[in-house]
Amino acid sequence: MKTKLRTFLLIPFFALLLFTSCQDEVTEITPPSEAEALTANSELTTFIGATAKMDGSKDNIIDKANCLSVELPVTVIANGLEITVDSPEDYKVIKAIFNEFDDDDDNLEIIFPITVILSDYTEVTIENRDALENLAKDCQGENEEDDDIECIDFKYPISFSVYNTQFQIIDVVTIESDRQLYLFIKRVKQGEVFASLNFPITMMLADGSTIEVNNNLELQNTIRDAKDTCDEDDDNNYNDDDFTQDRLEELLKTCPWVVYEVNRNQNSLTDIYLEYVMVFKEDGVVKVHKRGGDILTGTWSTRVTNDGVALKLEFDTLVDFTLEWFVYEIEYGRIKLYTEGGNKIILKKNCDIVVDITKERIENYLQECFWRVARLSINGTDNEKDYIGTPLKFFPNNEVKIRVNGEFVIGTYQVLVRNVGFILQIDLEGRPDLKLEWLVTFLEPGLIKLENANNKMVLERHCPDVDDDLKFIDAALVAGTWEVAKYQVGDINKTENYAMYTMDFLISGRLKVTDPNNGIIAGSWLAYRKEGLYLGMLFENIAPFNVLTHRWKIVAITANRIELKDFSATGTVESILILEKKI
């Protein structure tokens, strides 16, 4: 979003520059430095090619070959059951069939002919099993080292500037996929093109995080540092049936693990154990932190079995976890455990979670930045809509303020220590749904979860002063007045309902709407980040603006225009709201 915002602001400048260049018919070109240009035999060029190389290990459960991949769809027969594999998700279906019985011989037949894609993206038609095995004979060894890099990827699109021998730009090539990148780098290695990457670019790591890279040296170091940091899964199973004992133990000890799902004897116990936190220690001790802070201590150990690596948990009181569990699936940040009889545990890694909760730590987190009420359920009724645009601020003197219509309502708070855990006590006049004692059930630097009886609240940290995108949005909104240029619900355009209204986004957080008869509709607003950028707006219950009370996803913004959308749970657009600055 940051790049997009800056691009919008620079459009007029580049338009003027382009116009001037056309007038003078002169284009000044800055030759690339030696560090910027990719050379045929450089380490960086090799790294880029290896990162873009086709990874054939994802479908090894079908072809048992790391250097090729079967083009989908393909029909197979797994233990007698015919399956049409349309997507990589269907590899899980084969795995589930193979795991159904422990004492059978797993067998997979492929219905030929098929098309396979080699590591250089060449496509070959294969007519029978012998032809497939002959083609794959050089890459069938399990977990053997190969020269592709799977632990880091490019986020597309990226582009290259292509130069002639006089260092003049003759073309800009946009790359949209690994295949395009691999074939382009192949031309660089063969000396057919002389090119440099256009920065910045974004790299994606195996754990889902991203890194912005701004020059060749950063890119080379980033790939070098990341290329051996993950399990490339170059085996003949799907998702690490044979994950080694040592790697499992090291993974368990890296960070706390949050309980995401629990089944015992085919009964779901997730509601009981959700968000329990497990910490695996070096000495074979495992500590389970219950919601509210109670700690249960047990032991853990691993061993290698015919079914893979097993994790044994033993507790005196936590009987639903006391069992020897087999590793069903390991993904980055997630482990799935199972035993026969409908027993399953899913754990998610969270390195940010705080397991050693103290009164002082809770107070310190509360006093950092503002806090949004992201969720509030009172006696089963969702009340968080009443807090759109109304963040809380906790101060060191036990004073708490909540911003309503741009004005702060002042109250008090305390963090108390009770037998059940740590309690956040809030007392705010006019806010009875917050004026409760809340048990702290989950704590990490940007997230606090609270509950009591039938009530739940989630607070998310809001720090606009350190976010360049939010500072841009805030500055744009408070500069001038706005009007509704478009409001559409589904296929129905309702823009005419907002003719002649103007909207003022005040720096205090107050939102003031002036109607055609000079009346005022009051509200609050807050731009914030949550896996994207959002604009929360809360209006009085007065038509037609009351229906605009919502947390809107910001999809585009300039200094004079902001496009907002409301998405359904399935990702479809339900409403579109476009605001334009009044000239």
Side-chain angles (χ1 to χ4, degrees):
M1 174 61 80
K2 185 184 298 182
T3 302
K4 184 182 290 185
L5 298 178
R6 290 174 178 169
T7 301
F8 282 132
L9 293 176
L10 293 175
I11 284 174
F13 171 78
F14 282 115
L16 178 61
L17 181 62
L18 180 62
F19 177 78
T20 304
S21 299
C22 292
Q23 290 288 92
D24 297 339
E25 296 184 353
V26 174
T27 303
E28 291 192 14
I29 299 171
T30 303
S33 68
E34 184 176 350
E36 293 173 333
L38 295 174
T39 57
N41 299 315
S42 70
E43 183 181 39
L44 177 58
T45 303
T46 301
F47 277 170
I48 295 174
T51 303
K53 191 175 183 179
M54 201 283 299
D55 171 27
S57 63
K58 293 182 175 60
D59 65 346
N60 282 5
I61 197 168
I62 293 178
D63 58 31
K64 299 183 179 180
N66 297 328
C67 63
L68 59 86
S69 183
V70 177
E71 186 175 70
L72 303 182
V74 62
T75 301
V76 300
I77 300 174
N79 289 355
L81 297 176
E82 184 173 303
I83 303 166
T84 299
V85 180
D86 295 309
S87 73
E89 285 295 309
D90 292 328
Y91 303 151
K92 295 180 181 179
V93 177
I94 300 173
K95 176 75 172 290
I97 292 172
F98 285 173
N99 285 340
E100 186 174 5
F101 301 104
D102 296 328
D103 55 354
D104 62 340
D105 294 324
D106 295 321
N107 179 60
L108 185 86
E109 299 178 35
I110 302 173
I111 305 301
F112 293 94
I114 62 172
T115 299
V116 299
I117 305 169
L118 305 184
S119 57
D120 63 356
Y121 294 94
T122 301
E123 296 187 4
V124 179
T125 300
I126 302 296
E127 299 291 344
N128 53 56
R129 169 65 70 177
D130 289 342
L132 176 62
E133 291 180 353
N134 185 59
L135 184 65
K137 64 182 179 181
D138 294 330
C139 61
Q140 286 184 308
E142 288 197 64
N143 297 312
E144 291 182 356
E145 288 191 11
D146 49 23
D147 57 1
D148 64 340
I149 296 176
E150 303 171 30
C151 300
I152 189 168
D153 289 299
F154 288 85
K155 184 176 182 180
Y156 299 106
I158 61 175
S159 66
F160 289 86
S161 293
V162 180
Y163 304 91
N164 61 16
T165 56
Q166 285 76 44
F167 292 93
Q168 295 174 317
I169 298 176
I170 59 175
D171 196 7
V172 175
V173 177
T174 300
I175 303 294
E176 300 279 356
S177 66
D178 281 346
R179 181 180 184 277
Q180 291 179 9
L181 179 57
Y182 182 86
L183 296 178
F184 183 82
I185 292 299
K186 182 178 179 181
R187 295 178 63 200
V188 173
K189 288 182 175 181
Q190 294 173 345
E192 296 178 13
V193 295
F194 184 50
S196 64
L197 256 171
N198 295 320
F199 294 96
I201 62 172
T202 300
M203 304 299 293
M204 298 182 295
L205 300 178
D207 64 1
S209 61
T210 59
I211 299 176
E212 184 176 285
V213 177
N214 296 287
N215 55 57
N216 281 358
L217 182 59
E218 284 186 19
L219 178 59
Q220 182 170 309
N221 291 337
T222 298
I223 297 177
R224 183 190 294 116
D225 292 343
K227 67 187 184 72
D228 297 320
T229 59
C230 70
D231 172 28
E232 294 191 346
D233 202 16
D234 290 332
D235 52 60
N236 293 335
N237 293 308
Y238 177 75
N239 268 2
D240 279 320
D241 238 2
D242 55 356
F243 202 83
T244 67
Q245 182 178 12
D246 289 343
R247 296 186 68 178
L248 175 62
E249 290 180 354
E250 289 305 312
L251 181 63
L252 288 171
K253 292 182 289 187
T254 54
C255 290
W257 293 84
V258 181
V259 176
Y260 180 73
E261 183 176 339
V262 178
N263 287 353
R264 278 304 302 261
N265 303 319
Q266 299 183 345
N267 295 317
S268 175
L269 304 179
T270 301
D271 288 345
I272 299 173
Y273 297 113
L274 183 66
E275 294 179 352
Y276 276 37
V277 178
M278 303 186 71
V279 180
F280 295 86
K281 303 288 189 179
E282 290 275 0
D283 55 2
V285 172
V286 57
K287 293 184 178 292
V288 176
H289 297 253
K290 298 172 61 176
R291 296 191 299 268
D294 287 351
I295 300 175
L296 303 175
T297 301
T299 61
W300 70 282
S301 60
T302 63
R303 70 183 181 98
V304 179
T305 73
N306 293 333
D307 296 313
V309 181
L311 170 65
K312 187 175 183 179
L313 300 174
E314 292 185 287
F315 296 89
D316 291 334
T317 56
L318 202 60
V319 294
D320 292 320
F321 284 59
T322 299
L323 208 60
E324 185 168 58
W325 301 88
F326 295 98
V327 179
Y328 169 71
E329 190 173 297
I330 290 183
E331 302 170 351
Y332 293 100
R334 180 182 301 207
I335 296 177
K336 296 182 180 180
L337 308 171
Y338 80 100
T339 63
E340 293 181 353
N343 302 307
K344 178 173 67 173
I345 293 178
I346 298 179
L347 305 174
K348 288 186 177 181
K349 185 167 71 172
N350 188 337
C351 297
D352 292 326
I353 194 170
V354 180
V355 292
D356 299 321
I357 300 177
T358 64
K359 178 177 182 291
E360 291 72 21
R361 180 164 283 175
I362 296 173
E363 290 174 339
N364 288 337
Y365 282 156
L366 286 172
Q367 292 162 20
E368 292 177 357
C369 303
F370 291 86
W371 291 87
R372 293 188 310 104
V373 179
R375 181 184 177 190
L376 180 62
S377 176
I378 304 296
N379 294 322
T381 301
D382 292 334
N383 287 22
E384 63 264 22
K385 194 172 184 179
D386 297 335
Y387 291 88
I388 295 177
T390 57
L392 290 153
K393 177 65 176 175
F394 296 88
F395 295 91
N397 61 353
N398 293 109
E399 183 178 80
V400 60
K401 295 181 181 180
I402 186 167
R403 193 175 68 192
V404 180
N405 294 334
E407 303 293 334
F408 279 108
V409 176
I410 300 175
T412 60
Y413 77 98
Q414 290 187 77
V415 177
L416 306 173
V417 181
R418 299 277 176 81
N419 291 335
V420 293
F422 294 92
I423 300 293
L424 174 60
Q425 186 182 72
I426 300 176
D427 188 353
L428 275 164
E429 185 177 352
R431 295 284 161 169
D433 45 3
L434 296 186
K435 191 176 179 180
L436 296 168
E437 290 191 349
W438 296 91
L439 175 67
V440 179
T441 62
F442 191 87
L443 183 70
E444 62 182 40
L447 179 70
I448 298 176
K449 296 187 178 182
L450 309 154
E451 66 180 45
N452 60 66
N454 298 320
N455 309 315
K456 294 183 179 181
M457 179 163 60
V458 176
L459 301 179
E460 294 184 358
R461 188 167 58 181
H462 172 62
C463 301
D465 292 341
V466 296
D467 190 313
D468 290 340
D469 291 338
L470 292 180
K471 288 193 284 189
F472 173 86
I473 296 168
D474 290 350
L477 288 173
V478 300
T481 58
W482 298 75
E483 54 191 2
V484 176
K486 181 178 181 179
Y487 177 54
Q488 182 171 318
V489 181
D491 296 328
I492 303 174
N493 192 314
K494 299 186 176 184
T495 309
E496 63 180 15
N497 296 339
Y498 300 89
M500 305 301 291
Y501 287 91
T502 59
M503 303 171 63
D504 285 337
F505 293 85
L506 304 182
I507 197 169
S508 64
R510 186 184 179 199
L511 181 52
K512 185 174 71 173
V513 177
T514 304
D515 70 18
N517 299 316
N518 296 317
I520 300 296
I521 300 173
S524 300
W525 70 277
L526 183 73
Y528 64 94
R529 182 183 295 278
K530 180 179 172 63
E531 298 176 356
L533 293 169
Y534 287 81
L535 176 61
M537 294 189 292
L538 172 66
F539 296 92
E540 289 185 89
N541 192 23
I542 299 175
F545 278 83
N546 53 339
V547 297
L548 300 186
T549 291
H550 194 65
R551 293 184 172 97
W552 295 88
K553 177 73 176 289
I554 299 174
V555 296
I557 184 171
T558 68
N560 298 309
R561 184 179 185 274
I562 180 167
E563 182 177 347
L564 309 166
K565 289 185 179 180
D566 172 29
F567 293 88
S568 69
T570 59
T572 58
V573 178
E574 294 188 337
S575 304
I576 299 173
L577 176 63
I578 298 176
L579 306 179
E580 292 182 351
K581 190 165 290 184
K582 189 174 182 181
I583 306 302

